[in-house]
């Protein structure tokens, strides 16, 4: 994971490597009560949690930046 800024809106983001897909995803840097992304700070990876697993998780949760960026549609592939 590395810290960066969104190319479009300039918001601060973390680039996490998703498990198990190994794909990169931008995540907002501020935890959110509506979040569904857990970041393992020991290995710099992110895991998207299901609704069922959210009730068991105890750490801070984050939101994918795609969910909050006003320019997200421009970055989606067809």
């Amino acid at each position: 994971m590395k810290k960066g800024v969104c190319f479009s809106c300039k918001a601060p983001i973390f680039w996490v490597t998703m498990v198990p897909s190994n794909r990169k995803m931008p995540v907002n840097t501020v935890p959110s009560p509506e979040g569904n992304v857990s970041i393992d700070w020991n290995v710099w990876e992110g895991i998207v949690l299901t609704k069922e697993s959210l009730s068991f998780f105890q750490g801070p949760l984050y939101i994918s930046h795609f969910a909050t960026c006003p320019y997200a549609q421009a970055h989606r592939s067809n």
Side-chain angles (χ1 to χ4, degrees):
M1 178 190 70
K2 69 177 191 173
K3 199 167 187 178
V5 295
C6 175
F7 297 120
S8 299
C9 74
K10 308 303 183 216
I13 57 172
F14 293 131
W15 283 102
V16 299
T17 302
M18 299 303 298
V19 175
S21 70
N22 209 32
R23 296 181 72 183
K24 302 279 190 233
M25 180 175 75
V27 175
N28 293 340
T29 59
V30 178
S32 170
E34 290 84 36
N36 72 336
V37 176
S38 163
I39 297 175
D40 182 338
W41 297 103
N42 295 315
V43 292
W44 308 99
E45 294 178 323
I47 300 171
V48 176
L49 300 171
T50 64
K51 288 193 183 281
E52 294 79 24
S53 62
L54 284 173
S55 62
F56 298 106
F57 186 74
Q58 298 296 315
L61 295 172
Y62 300 83
I63 295 178
S64 166
H65 187 62
F66 288 128
T68 61
C69 181
Y71 303 101
Q73 190 60 37
H75 298 286
R76 296 196 200 301
S77 52
N78 295 329

